[in-house]
Amino acid sequence: MPKATFFNLKEEKRQILIDAAKQEFSRVSLYEASISNILKTAGIPRGSFYQYFDDKEDAFFYLLNEHAQERHECLISNLKKFDGNLFKAISEIFKSTLEHSEDKGQRDFIRNVLLNMNYKIENTFSQYLSEDVANERYDDIYDLVNAEQLNVANRKEMFHVMQILTAVTFHNLIHSVSNNLSISDAMKKYETELGLLQSGLLRSSS
Amino acid sequence: MPKATFFNLKEEKRQILIDAAKQEFSRVSLYEASISNILKTAGIPRGSFYQYFDDKEDAFFYLLNEHAQERHECLISNLKKFDGNLFKAISEIFKSTLEHSEDKGQRDFIRNVLLNMNYKIENTFSQYLSEDVANERYDDIYDLVNAEQLNVANRKEMFHVMQILTAVTFHNLIHSVSNNLSISDAMKKYETELGLLQSGLLRSSS
DNA sequence: ACTATATGTGACACGGTGTCATAAGTCAAG
DNA sequence: CTTGACTTATGACACCGTGTCACATATAGT
């Protein structure tokens, strides 16, 4: 988490910093990014950066978290829109992420995040899927999902469904970006796999 | 790929280098690893390292590839052992990976690989799952899998099944390691999810 | 012994990180 | 107003890792 000093900053200056950081993390991955570049772009002295953040990870995860929150709200609203149909809601998120990653500005940041996704980054995105039953954000989702249509008996099994969907969705996002698939090719692949997930990988014994 | 010079090295010296590199990559992730430490451990001068490798990534992916090959052979032999039952074969791989990551020596290397898994690392593991139909290694697997029991009509659909299984398997491996699950808890979670995958996430309309 | 080619070596320039002593600003109490 | 306590700003600096390069050494073929 950024330090208090960062949040005490004047709106304008904070935005300059955020923009500079985002620009650097759009250029290269977290690991290749250099604080020096952020300083140069933002026009602040070295020491100041360390007043606001612990290190570049701190700045990166601050930005990422903002994104993740947007995604989470998007999922909630999609669930409402599609009457709790989890597959439709998640497929819509998938699509909008790909479209987002066509926007100039957002594009390269999201690309870099996806191409360097690891468990820590993924957790930032999907913290609300915690197994921890006390987790509020998970409750939000659980309550909205129409569990009737799912092959689950209780909240615990629902957790596994979310895990599977998360895994397959991220896997497809990353695959799409790393192979430069067109949005329509990416959607075709993803929806094929969602279809398989729904009906099951085993042939129904006939 | 390591340079020719590396492969021309005397067996003994090459092994020293490999051990030193593995030690460093067991200590920390690829990005935190330092060539300097490898040099110190192996007792070779700086210039030599660059005779053998382009950079630390080169060394890392050389080691990783060795592992991936073992895994691949393991999958092949499991498929034979279980008469083409893909789920049993893959579940066995999952288990043996977790057990491997209990071995002193192997353990920390695998842990670091899993915790810092990204698409490039994952591709090293699963290159044999290429969509490219000309890919020999994929053929090996396709031929061995008993496709009768799967909900697929052709090789292309089989590709999607493999993609899903890869995504869920890696996701579980990473989850297990990052949450320090015991092997039996990890297996329980993984097998629950495999079960869901097999029967499908949608409730069968009754 | 001579030459060509491959390999070994470590000093060096470069660039990035995080820190620290010091300067500058803010604000409330006297 | 000014004094003092606290917060924020600054940039020089020590430290460390990287990749290179000119030079040294080994190896093998003629």
Side-chain angles (χ1 to χ4, degrees):
Chain A
M1 273 283 285
K3 305 184 182 174
T5 318
F6 175 70
F7 296 107
N8 293 338
L9 239 37
K10 264 188 295 185
E11 181 63 28
E12 195 199 2
K13 187 167 183 186
R14 192 167 66 240
Q15 196 57 47
I16 288 178
L17 245 180
I18 290 177
D19 290 345
K22 197 160 207 166
Q23 184 178 322
E24 178 64 0
F25 292 125
S26 297
R27 190 180 67 82
V28 287
S29 77
L30 167 57
Y31 297 103
E32 295 168 287
S34 100
I35 294 175
S36 294
N37 278 333
I38 299 178
L39 304 179
K40 214 181 300 172
T41 306
I44 61 169
R46 183 159 206 83
S48 292
F49 183 89
Y50 291 96
Q51 298 281 22
Y52 311 137
F53 303 104
D54 287 328
D55 49 28
K56 66 178 166 171
E57 281 218 359
D58 195 22
F60 177 80
F61 280 100
Y62 169 70
L63 292 183
L64 190 60
N65 209 49
E66 303 268 285
H67 257 280
Q69 255 169 276
E70 282 176 36
R71 297 284 90 195
H72 181 242
E73 278 153 26
C74 190
L75 179 58
I76 298 283
S77 82
N78 278 340
L79 278 172
K80 286 177 186 156
K81 186 160 120 202
F82 294 113
D83 295 321
N85 184 321
L86 185 55
F87 296 96
K88 277 193 185 160
I90 214 166
S91 176
E92 194 68 16
I93 292 265
F94 182 84
K95 193 173 172 194
S96 94
T97 301
L98 286 179
E99 281 163 356
H100 244 203
S101 76
E102 301 261 294
D103 292 5
K104 177 89 174 148
Q106 295 288 310
R107 189 185 66 205
D108 294 328
F109 181 70
I110 296 184
R111 272 184 64 90
N112 275 319
V113 168
L114 288 175
L115 292 180
N116 297 283
M117 178 76 65
N118 59 22
Y119 91 99
K120 222 172 150 186
I121 295 181
E122 187 179 319
N123 277 356
T124 301
F125 270 108
S126 52
Q127 21 183 311
Y128 48 85
L129 298 181
S130 160
E131 196 168 10
D132 182 358
V133 182
N135 188 310
E136 280 182 38
R137 293 195 262 191
Y138 179 46
D139 280 1
D140 282 358
I141 293 186
Y142 186 88
D143 292 342
L144 284 168
V145 168
N146 178 351
E148 298 292 313
Q149 58 193 205
L150 294 178
N151 184 18
V152 299
N154 54 46
R155 186 174 282 223
K156 196 170 163 82
E157 282 182 32
M158 170 101 164
F159 164 72
H160 292 292
V161 168
M162 295 303 298
Q163 289 274 302
I164 289 170
L165 285 173
T166 305
V168 171
T169 302
F170 278 123
H171 197 263
N172 268 274
L173 278 173
I174 293 165
H175 187 268
S176 303
V177 171
S178 71
N179 294 62
N180 271 307
L181 298 192
S182 70
I183 290 193
S184 76
D185 282 354
M187 285 305 295
K188 210 185 308 174
K189 173 170 185 298
Y190 183 56
E191 284 181 340
T192 303
E193 292 179 15
L194 275 188
L196 275 167
L197 285 180
Q198 292 177 51
S199 59
L201 303 185
L202 275 193
R203 186 184 296 279
S204 329
S205 48
S206 54
Chain B
M1 274 283 286
K3 304 183 182 173
T5 318
F6 176 70
F7 297 107
N8 293 339
L9 238 38
K10 264 189 296 187
E11 181 64 29
E12 196 199 1
K13 187 168 182 185
R14 191 166 67 241
Q15 197 56 49
I16 288 178
L17 244 180
I18 290 177
D19 290 346
K22 197 161 207 166
Q23 184 178 322
E24 179 63 359
F25 292 126
S26 298
R27 190 180 66 82
V28 286
S29 77
L30 167 57
Y31 297 103
E32 296 168 287
S34 98
I35 294 175
S36 295
N37 278 332
I38 299 178
L39 304 179
K40 216 181 298 173
T41 306
I44 62 168
R46 182 156 208 86
S48 291
F49 183 89
Y50 291 95
Q51 299 279 24
Y52 311 138
F53 304 104
D54 287 328
D55 48 29
K56 65 178 167 173
E57 280 217 359
D58 194 23
F60 176 80
F61 281 100
Y62 169 71
L63 292 183
L64 189 60
N65 209 49
E66 304 267 285
H67 257 281
Q69 254 169 277
E70 282 176 36
R71 299 277 98 191
H72 181 241
E73 277 152 28
C74 191
L75 179 58
I76 298 282
S77 83
N78 278 340
L79 278 171
K80 286 177 185 156
K81 186 160 120 202
F82 294 113
D83 295 320
N85 184 319
L86 184 55
F87 296 96
K88 278 193 185 160
I90 214 166
S91 176
E92 194 68 16
I93 292 264
F94 181 85
K95 193 173 172 195
S96 94
T97 301
L98 286 179
E99 280 163 356
H100 244 201
S101 75
E102 301 262 293
D103 290 6
K104 177 91 173 144
Q106 295 288 309
R107 189 185 67 205
D108 294 328
F109 180 70
I110 296 184
R111 273 185 63 90
N112 275 319
V113 168
L114 288 175
L115 292 180
N116 298 282
M117 179 76 64
N118 59 23
Y119 91 99
K120 220 171 152 188
I121 295 181
E122 187 180 319
N123 277 356
T124 301
F125 270 109
S126 53
Q127 22 183 308
Y128 48 84
L129 297 182
S130 161
E131 197 168 9
D132 181 358
V133 182
N135 188 309
E136 279 182 39
R137 293 194 262 190
Y138 179 46
D139 280 2
D140 282 358
I141 293 186
Y142 186 88
D143 292 342
L144 283 168
V145 168
N146 178 352
E148 298 291 313
Q149 58 192 205
L150 294 178
N151 184 16
V152 299
N154 53 46
R155 186 175 284 222
K156 195 172 165 81
E157 282 180 33
M158 170 100 165
F159 165 72
H160 292 292
V161 169
M162 296 303 296
Q163 289 274 302
I164 289 170
L165 285 173
T166 305
V168 172
T169 302
F170 278 123
H171 197 265
N172 268 274
L173 279 173
I174 293 165
H175 187 268
S176 303
V177 171
S178 71
N179 294 61
N180 271 308
L181 298 191
S182 70
I183 291 193
S184 75
D185 283 352
M187 286 306 295
K188 211 186 308 174
K189 173 171 185 296
Y190 183 55
E191 285 181 339
T192 302
E193 293 179 15
L194 276 188
L196 275 167
L197 285 180
Q198 292 177 51
S199 58
L201 303 186
L202 276 192
R203 187 184 294 281
S204 332
S205 47
S206 53

